[in-house]
Amino acid sequence: MPLRHGGNQRFGYPVAAVVFAIGMAGTTLPTPLYGLYRERLGFSELMVTVVFAAYAVGVITVLLLAGNLSDVVGRRPVLLCALGLSAASALCFLFEGGVPMLLVGRVLSGFAAGLFSGTATATVLELAKPGQEARAGFAATAANMGGLGCGPLLAGLLAQYTPWPLSLPFLVHLALLAVAGVLTWLVPETVRTARTTRTDGTTGQGQRPLRSARRHPAALRVPPEVRGVFAPSAIAAFAGFALLGLFTAVAPSFVGQTLGVRNLAVSGAVVFTVFLGSTAGQSLTGRLGITRALPGGCLVLVAGLLLVGASLVVESLPLLVIGAVLGGTGQGLAFRAALTAVSAAAPPEHRGGTISAFFVIAYLGISLPVVGVGALTLWLGLRGAGLTFAGCVIVLAACVGRYVLRRPPTER
């Protein structure tokens, strides 16, 4: 069961959030580099989206098979495992020898993200002291989106302005992962497990007796008391993550091929703007409250997608950036509201598994539509595929926004 406030509180939720951000940065690090790999290996835009989607397959696999593992064995061991998988992914890219190695690296990165998504979120929330819950909730979602945004920005800058565009980004990330490993070791454990139980029937640090512990993770499921909140929240996350998937997989190609901007730092910065918008949107969620932020975020997401679609028609980089910021803001509003509602409704003993189930739906949004876009580019071209994608997500987000306006989730 999750505990609160054990261990050294100097290493509380902000430190856990830093570890979360470093881990997630590695998952988007290759984003501005796909064009270089495409030139070197000679594959199509569809293969770019397939390589990208391999990451989502890894995420979903881990969430389905071990989404609540940290509820059983503890948060720290799972975080350390995720950091190790991130390092293995970076090594695959460093020693890249063709498309198979890229696919393996992306799958390993997906495994890491799958472990991070539920476990790191739960860790940040559980390390918050009384009165810090709202700030910890923002720290968790901001670390997730902020880390995802910093990955392409860092890689784009290093690839454009250093002599080792396909090596240095991953070497830098390996160094950051080493720092994250040290920080994870210092962060207190928030879950009681059989291994932490002492012979007198208590756990360390004055914790209460451990009544029981499962030896193996149970099947991932959503508790009945959460289902009413879970469905609209997860669908809103699906729509928002679809936008993130479009930018992390396809936007650099559009910037380079359609707009003729070959600067990798610019491509990375464009992707960064959507995650920057997401972080800004998350910062507003607490002020608006869940009941207003969830439908409001969906509507702002629709407005951002309309601008992204317009940028594809008129071939305008400024309009694309404005659409990215606005769409990201809507995604951030809806994502944090949805995650907060689901986390608050979940019983403590199932929180990690419930959050992981939430991320399964979200990562379906980041994978399936993006592969569809890649396939459509073969017939409609990059612009036509992007417009089709934008139209579909606009309809989905508008429907979810209308639904939660009528049946808003209950705030706790």
Side-chain angles (χ1 to χ4, degrees):
M1 294 176 62
L3 293 169
R4 303 295 291 264
H5 323 312
N8 189 342
Q9 289 303 306
R10 290 180 301 169
F11 301 100
Y13 80 86
V15 175
V18 170
V19 172
F20 195 3
I22 291 173
M24 297 309 293
T27 66
T28 53
L29 205 64
T31 295
L33 309 178
Y34 286 135
L36 298 178
Y37 287 118
R38 188 173 60 244
E39 292 174 3
R40 172 183 286 190
L41 302 176
F43 52 74
S44 66
E45 191 65 39
L46 174 60
M47 183 55 67
V48 172
T49 59
V50 170
V51 171
F52 174 81
Y55 156 76
V57 170
V59 175
I60 294 168
T61 299
V62 167
L63 291 176
L64 288 173
L65 297 180
N68 68 337
L69 181 63
S70 71
D71 291 333
V72 181
V73 303
R75 310 293 188 214
R76 187 191 292 128
V78 176
L79 289 176
L80 290 171
C81 180
L83 292 171
L85 289 168
S86 293
S89 173
L91 290 173
C92 285
F93 279 90
L94 273 176
F95 299 104
E96 169 269 319
V99 173
M101 189 63 77
L102 294 183
L103 289 170
V104 171
R106 291 304 287 162
V107 170
L108 289 173
S109 182
F111 288 164
L115 294 177
F116 274 121
S117 296
T119 304
T121 299
T123 302
V124 173
L125 295 174
E126 290 164 359
L127 285 174
K129 296 179 181 179
Q132 294 182 333
E133 290 83 0
R135 281 181 287 174
F138 172 65
T141 52
N144 192 344
M145 293 299 117
L148 290 169
C150 287
L153 182 63
L154 174 64
L157 289 170
L158 293 175
Q160 183 65 38
Y161 300 114
T162 70
W164 310 284
L166 296 180
S167 300
L168 193 57
F170 301 102
L171 290 172
V172 170
H173 190 244
L174 283 170
L176 292 173
L177 288 171
V179 174
V182 174
L183 294 178
T184 300
W185 193 258
L186 296 174
V187 168
E189 179 59 73
T190 61
V191 174
R192 289 180 297 165
T193 67
R195 287 182 298 176
T196 63
T197 307
R198 300 190 303 206
T199 56
D200 61 0
T202 65
T203 59
Q205 303 162 3
Q207 298 165 1
R208 293 176 297 176
L210 179 66
R211 295 180 181 178
S212 64
R214 295 189 298 261
R215 293 185 179 181
H216 302 287
L220 194 64
R221 68 183 182 89
V222 179
E225 60 268 39
V226 186
R227 291 172 188 169
V229 174
F230 186 88
S233 299
I235 296 172
F238 179 97
F241 270 57
L243 172 70
L244 301 183
L246 177 71
F247 271 84
T248 49
V250 180
S253 296
F254 177 75
V255 171
Q257 297 175 27
T258 304
L259 301 182
V261 179
R262 304 293 180 179
N263 189 299
L264 297 177
V266 172
S267 295
V270 169
V271 178
F272 173 75
T273 58
V274 72
F275 292 102
L276 179 65
S278 176
T279 305
Q282 292 166 35
S283 70
L284 299 174
T285 303
R287 299 179 185 178
L288 295 176
I290 295 173
T291 56
R292 288 186 292 175
L294 188 52
C298 291
L299 296 178
V300 175
L301 176 60
V302 167
L305 283 164
L306 288 171
L307 289 177
V308 169
S311 74
L312 298 176
V313 173
V314 302
E315 299 184 6
S316 169
L317 179 60
L319 199 58
L320 178 65
V321 171
I322 295 171
V325 173
L326 190 60
T329 300
Q331 187 276 338
L333 277 168
F335 174 69
R336 185 183 173 194
L339 181 58
T340 301
V342 168
S343 177
E349 64 272 19
H350 296 297
R351 184 170 291 124
T354 302
I355 293 173
S356 294
F358 173 83
F359 277 105
V360 166
I361 306 301
Y363 276 99
L364 283 173
I366 212 173
S367 57
L368 296 180
V370 168
V371 174
V373 169
L376 284 174
T377 58
L378 300 178
W379 294 280
L380 302 177
L382 197 56
R383 181 187 302 168
L387 288 172
T388 302
F389 167 90
C392 292
V393 180
I394 284 171
V395 171
L396 179 61
C399 290
V400 174
R402 185 171 182 268
Y403 178 87
V404 293
L405 272 174
R406 291 186 170 187
R407 300 180 182 180
T410 303
E411 295 197 54
R412 296 191 177 189

